[in-house]
Amino acid sequence: LALRLPRPLGRELIAGAITPAVLGGVVAAGIAGASEPEGRVLRLVPRRLQEYMRESRIAWIMYSQFEYVAAGLAVFALAPRGQARRLLRVQRAGPDLKDVPCGPLGSLADVYLPDGASAAASFEEMLIFVPGGAWSHGYKSFYTLTSRRLATELGCAVATVGYGLYPVADGAAQVAQVEEALAWAEAGAPLPPDGEPRRRLLNAGARLSVVGHSAGGQLSAAALLGRSGGEATGAGVASIGSLALLSAPLELRRHVLHEASRGVATVSALSAAFAGDDGATYSVGDEAALVTAPGSDRADGSGRTGPSAPPPRYFDDTQPMARLSPECAVAAGGAAAVKKLPPLVALFHGVEDPVVPVSSTQRFEAALKARADSSWPSVVSEYREGCSHLDYVLELITVSDRTPPLVDFLRTIAFK
């Protein structure tokens, strides 16, 4: 008898079968010294199979676990002697408050309290951390060590936001969930009743700082820029005073081109999570539709020179990829758009970042400064030499004999 599987299930099983081999190949290519091990391996994988992987929950769960193990090995290799067991205990202990619901859209927050604080206490300051993961992998629990260290070093509560991942949630849904989490914090971070009178984590007048890393930075900025009012909304219990964007892709169309140059654009969730209304996703050669023209002043930084195929629909200014790109939103909205941002915007990026090029942040900084007035927002930036995409996050976790660079940076801007 021939076994006929439902199409989605069959694709899930195929993706689940090939993903371990692909990940093994990436490890081998990395050990061999390949500069882009993922792209090198994916060249050998047919496009259809890459698309199966991109649309597979099983594949992204596998990839998440792969990254979790790899990051864990890096942390324990870099940790000072005797610290590895302590870090393992911290990871296992998890947050002080887990899976706090932020609203009906399904966003959740893990809350970490500063040293010595009671779970019954209320706070004057909270850092809202929105983690990355290329819109498709990684979970808020992966950032336990990061969040705990931030709470300890900054002496504030830290709420790490969890949002739906592709293919369960697309980019617009993720932005909406992050916006919901920000509104929850502005409302004083209310906790579920749990048999007790409903209470808030934050006191009236509390100050908030939003920090987004990588894709989490794009989602944070898009959530703020997408608000309908001219200023932050919410119940007014707490207010957002600063936004820190760490190594974030802030123009998504340009990031598709960067992923194409690395050989990962087909398997990446980016073009699918922010697909156009025709449903089309990245196809090899799409990047040729956007060619930078000398002196071009288009919002996407592109012009068309010479004969070329029409650009894919998802590159259009009216489609989600442009509308949810912070750089495009600032360019299109001008001074009215930047008024939706907090009074202080801080930008941090490693100069040697191969995952999100430093030009992403530099262009966004230029766009902000071109459209900001003299007082709103204030923009500060740090471009760290010799730093990659995750170096400073690993330093935050493992360095104990000095203050990690990211902590120094956040101390200068948080809660101002």
Side-chain angles (χ1 to χ4, degrees):
L1 293 177
L3 178 62
R4 292 184 176 272
L5 296 172
R7 180 173 292 182
L9 177 58
R11 292 177 179 179
E12 283 279 354
L13 292 177
I14 292 170
I18 64 174
T19 297
V22 171
L23 295 177
V26 170
V27 172
I31 292 173
S35 59
E36 288 288 352
E38 290 173 300
R40 183 70 60 86
V41 172
L42 288 170
R43 290 194 196 108
L44 306 176
V45 181
R47 176 188 172 187
R48 181 61 58 86
L49 293 183
Q50 291 190 48
E51 290 175 342
Y52 286 2
M53 293 170 63
R54 184 190 67 206
E55 301 300 322
S56 167
R57 283 176 286 183
I58 292 175
W60 286 123
I61 289 170
M62 288 181 174
Y63 189 79
S64 295
Q65 295 302 321
F66 169 77
E67 283 210 328
Y68 182 65
V69 171
L73 291 174
V75 166
F76 294 127
L78 294 170
R81 182 174 296 180
Q83 292 296 311
R85 288 186 179 181
R86 182 189 65 81
L87 292 174
L88 184 59
R89 288 194 300 270
V90 171
Q91 178 67 34
R92 286 176 172 171
D96 296 289
L97 299 168
K98 184 175 178 61
D99 290 340
V100 178
C102 300
L105 297 181
S107 56
L108 301 170
D110 285 350
V111 179
Y112 300 80
L113 305 180
D115 290 348
S118 165
S122 297
F123 300 91
E124 299 292 337
E125 298 172 337
M126 175 181 279
L127 184 146
I128 305 154
F129 181 60
V130 184
W135 307 278
S136 58
H137 59 276
Y139 306 97
K140 65 185 188 315
S141 60
F142 288 10
Y143 292 85
T144 292
L145 296 176
T146 302
S147 304
R148 180 63 69 189
R149 184 71 185 270
L150 288 173
T152 299
E153 293 287 346
L154 300 177
C156 66
V158 173
T160 299
V161 176
Y163 49 87
L165 301 173
Y166 189 83
V168 175
D170 64 13
Q174 293 171 4
V175 170
Q177 286 184 311
V178 171
E179 184 175 354
E180 176 180 77
L182 300 182
W184 164 81
E186 289 173 318
L191 300 177
D194 197 25
E196 299 291 334
R198 188 174 178 88
R199 72 178 186 88
R200 299 189 304 244
L201 271 174
L202 300 176
N203 294 321
R207 296 176 296 173
L208 305 172
S209 184
V210 180
V211 177
H213 177 253
S214 195
Q218 176 266 327
L219 295 173
S220 301
L224 290 168
L225 288 164
R227 290 178 157 183
S228 57
E231 296 181 358
T233 58
V237 174
S239 60
I240 300 172
S242 62
L243 168 67
L245 304 178
L246 316 176
S247 306
L250 298 167
E251 215 288 26
L252 298 179
R253 293 173 295 187
R254 194 175 295 110
H255 197 61
V256 170
L257 308 189
H258 177 66
E259 290 189 337
S261 73
R262 297 176 56 215
V264 300
T266 300
V267 78
S268 167
L270 174 55
S271 71
F274 298 90
D277 52 20
D278 62 356
T281 60
Y282 172 80
S283 180
V284 175
D286 283 355
E287 61 272 20
L290 291 183
V291 180
T292 302
S296 171
D297 59 358
R298 286 175 52 87
D300 62 1
S302 69
R304 287 160 183 95
T305 57
S308 63
R313 179 67 173 162
Y314 64 82
F315 275 161
D316 192 86
D317 289 344
T318 65
Q319 299 302 299
M321 191 173 286
R323 290 188 291 103
L324 297 175
S325 290
E327 183 185 324
C328 296
V330 166
V338 299
K339 285 288 187 182
K340 298 179 183 181
L341 296 172
L344 175 59
V345 176
L347 307 170
F348 188 99
H349 212 124
V351 173
E352 309 302 327
D353 190 339
V355 178
V356 180
V358 68
S359 59
S360 172
T361 294
Q362 291 169 334
R363 293 180 69 101
F364 184 65
E365 179 178 15
L368 275 181
K369 289 181 175 179
R371 289 159 180 85
D373 62 27
S374 59
S375 61
W376 197 292
S378 175
V379 182
V380 298
S381 59
E382 180 174 337
Y383 299 104
R384 194 162 186 84
E385 296 287 344
C387 184
S388 185
H389 194 63
L390 288 171
D391 292 357
Y392 55 90
V393 178
L394 292 174
E395 280 187 281
L396 175 69
I397 295 169
T398 59
V399 168
S400 60
D401 59 344
R402 55 186 169 83
T403 303
L406 182 58
V407 170
D408 279 335
F409 180 74
L410 292 178
R411 279 176 176 166
T412 65
I413 61 96
F415 315 119
K416 301 301 183 184

